[in-house]
Amino acid sequence: MNDPGTRAGQAAPAGYWTAPTPEGTVHAEVRVPASKSITNRAYVLAALGRTPTLVRNPLDSRDARLMIDALAVLGARHERLDDGIRVHPLAEADHARVERTASVDLGNSGTVARFTPALATLGTVSVRFDGDRALRRRPMYGLIRALEDLGADIDHGDRSALPFTVHGTGGLRGGPVDVDSSASSQFLSALLLAGPAFDEGVTVRLVGEAPPSEPHIEMTLDLLRAFGAHPTREGTEFHVPPTELHRPEYTVEPDLSSAAPFLLAAALTGGTVHVAGWPASTTQPGDWLRRLLRELGMRVTRNASGLTVTGTGTIPGLELDLHDVSELTPVITAMLCFADGPSVIRGVAHLRGHETDRLAALATEITGLGGAVTQIEDGLRIEPSPLRSGTFHTYEDHRLVMAAALLGLRVPGIAVENPATVGKTFPGFVEEWTRMLRPAGDPPTR
């Protein structure tokens, strides 16, 4: 799939971005946008509140816009203000003015696809949900079956996949339900987020293998508490009682997963990168990087202004289980291509069902550049191998753009296909990455 014809110093083909290669170490202060995962959860809970909520510092990206637009279709209007977006409750909707049928465009957003159908059961409208071709391939079975068990009326033609139509019945009974969330923790989060609005709340019992991305489950519970709900957890059983949610305003944290490539740039080049606004405590999976980088011998400090990482430029071969932080797999794979020895990433088989098959994409693209990345049952094996210039296909996956940018730190002439796809979570990534690598005097001191 790769074309090795793009060489250092040669202009990238139209529609591609040549990932810049610095002449030396990286020294920069960067700002990353707000967390997509927190933004979209805050929007959902605001729509379920009894009064409007001002969501401050929300992410403004393709996925976040899809979410706020989907909620508007369901009846939760919003206002864009200078300091955020005010979301009005679904309960304020003028049902006399709402069409009897509606459609929600999901694009390629798994978060919107999983979180909004449960809300459609609360209205009296038949809502058709559909997305692009890649989203139609993503797992929905566990969520659809669980909603049906809770009393939802969903027309999916016995496929348990997109497209489908939710026939709103004015509310959902709720109560106990078993769900297999092994394909995505979003199935569980979707039920928990909607639980306060169900007549009996919801008690979710997990069956099957453990869900991936435990931090995102904790994030959901944390957001529920912030909006006034009282979720409880006992092992694999979760309970959210019926609750009237209320939160006048909520401020979203920076996206720590989007900060990952910048911190790994410091590690790879032996430079120093400061990420502004890093929270003291958080449920975001990206915070795990602090521990990893310390274990790799990097200097990691956090203070009131943010997080600073000073790298060594040397990466040892690693064996990592990334089951709980799987969204970091693309950038960590890219970093490990330059390790001193072989590496193995395990626990991420579910990435085959993300925006694209991320494991296949990483193996194909890096091998096409001369690398040696092979798939194993639940992850990847990475053997250090000299990389060459060439094209890197991104499969409309934002995390692959970030992985390619990291490869470009040491390999001149990598042409990244469709860099605009990073707008899913970080619309200004290319500009911020380029600015970081531009010489700017003395390194930041924090």
Side-chain angles (χ1 to χ4, degrees):
M1 295 180 66
N2 266 290
D3 174 8
T6 304
R7 301 297 179 189
Q10 180 179 352
Y16 286 70
W17 166 58
T18 300
T21 304
E23 296 181 0
T25 58
V26 171
H27 297 286
E29 177 170 338
V30 300
R31 292 186 178 275
V32 297
S35 163
K36 179 199 75 172
S37 297
I38 295 178
T39 294
N40 281 348
R41 283 166 172 77
Y43 283 160
V44 168
L45 292 171
L48 293 174
R50 63 178 173 85
T51 56
T53 299
L54 175 59
V55 181
R56 296 185 182 274
N57 187 43
L59 175 65
D60 184 12
S61 74
R62 190 160 60 248
D63 267 25
R65 291 178 183 178
L66 285 167
M67 177 63 84
I68 201 71
D69 289 345
L71 294 173
V73 170
L74 299 178
R77 63 186 179 90
H78 61 274
E79 306 161 79
R80 294 187 179 272
L81 307 176
D82 290 341
D83 54 349
I85 291 183
R86 179 176 286 115
V87 180
H88 291 259
L90 289 166
E92 287 186 2
D94 183 353
H95 295 290
R97 292 174 153 235
V98 176
E99 299 290 335
R100 302 305 300 171
T101 60
S103 297
V104 170
D105 175 13
L106 302 168
N108 190 18
S109 175
T111 308
V112 184
R114 276 72 178 262
F115 288 1
T116 56
L119 276 60
T121 68
L122 306 176
T124 57
V125 177
S126 292
V127 183
R128 186 177 190 270
F129 292 87
D130 198 7
D132 64 18
R133 184 171 57 184
L135 191 63
R136 286 186 173 191
R137 294 194 297 265
R138 297 182 70 176
M140 293 291 294
Y141 176 88
L143 176 62
I144 290 174
R145 289 305 169 94
L147 287 173
E148 289 181 324
D149 289 345
L150 290 170
D153 181 3
I154 305 177
D155 179 8
H156 53 88
D158 292 326
R159 295 175 299 103
S160 296
L162 290 165
F164 57 79
T165 298
V166 177
H167 301 289
T169 55
L172 206 61
R173 181 187 69 249
V177 66
D178 293 342
V179 63
D180 183 344
S181 199
S182 57
S184 173
S185 66
Q186 291 176 351
F187 298 171
L188 171 61
S189 286
L191 298 170
L192 298 179
L193 289 169
F198 297 161
D199 295 341
E200 300 176 12
V202 69
T203 299
V204 183
R205 298 177 297 238
L206 293 177
V207 297
E209 296 181 6
S213 197
E214 174 69 25
H216 279 116
I217 298 171
E218 290 302 317
M219 179 187 294
T220 296
L221 298 174
D222 185 63
L223 265 287
L224 280 162
R225 296 185 189 102
F227 277 78
H230 304 283
T232 58
R233 175 180 187 177
E234 293 185 13
T236 58
E237 182 170 303
F238 300 75
H239 177 64
V240 181
T243 312
E244 192 174 60
L245 301 180
H246 175 63
R247 178 87 182 201
E249 57 182 61
Y250 182 86
T251 301
V252 182
E253 298 172 357
D255 189 331
L256 307 189
S257 292
S258 289
F262 297 92
L263 297 180
L264 299 185
L268 276 173
T269 68
T272 298
V273 171
H274 178 78
V275 176
W278 197 284
S281 63
T282 179
T283 56
Q284 291 191 63
D287 195 45
W288 173 82
L289 282 170
R290 285 201 278 179
R291 186 178 71 190
L292 173 66
L293 292 172
R294 286 193 180 105
E295 290 176 355
L296 294 180
M298 315 299 168
R299 184 159 58 89
V300 181
T301 58
R302 201 210 72 85
N303 58 24
S305 69
L307 185 78
T308 303
V309 170
T310 298
T312 62
T314 301
I315 309 295
L318 300 172
E319 289 204 14
L320 297 172
D321 186 331
L322 299 185
H323 184 264
D324 287 342
V325 292
S326 58
E327 64 191 45
L328 300 178
T329 299
V331 292
I332 290 178
T333 298
M335 177 186 74
L336 293 176
C337 287
F338 307 107
D340 290 342
S343 299
V344 176
I345 294 175
R346 301 187 186 279
V348 293
H350 60 280
L351 290 183
R352 294 187 171 97
H354 275 229
E355 282 85 343
T356 186
D357 180 339
R358 282 181 172 166
L359 301 185
L362 287 164
T364 297
E365 296 307 310
I366 295 174
T367 300
L369 296 172
V373 176
T374 55
Q375 295 190 64
I376 58 177
E377 182 179 2
D378 65 341
L380 296 169
R381 187 181 307 278
I382 303 114
E383 299 277 349
S385 181
L387 300 182
R388 58 175 178 266
S389 60
T391 57
F392 190 104
H393 298 88
T394 55
Y395 307 85
E396 299 184 1
D397 188 327
H398 56 137
R399 300 298 180 195
L400 292 179
V401 175
M402 297 178 182
L406 275 167
L407 296 177
L409 291 176
R410 291 198 179 181
V411 184
I414 291 183
V416 185
E417 177 199 37
N418 189 19
T421 197
V422 82
K424 180 181 178 73
T425 52
F426 196 156
F429 174 79
V430 168
E431 292 76 15
E432 187 70 10
W433 188 261
T434 303
R435 188 190 66 78
M436 175 186 71
L437 300 184
R438 188 179 301 125
D442 295 331
T445 56
R446 295 284 173 180

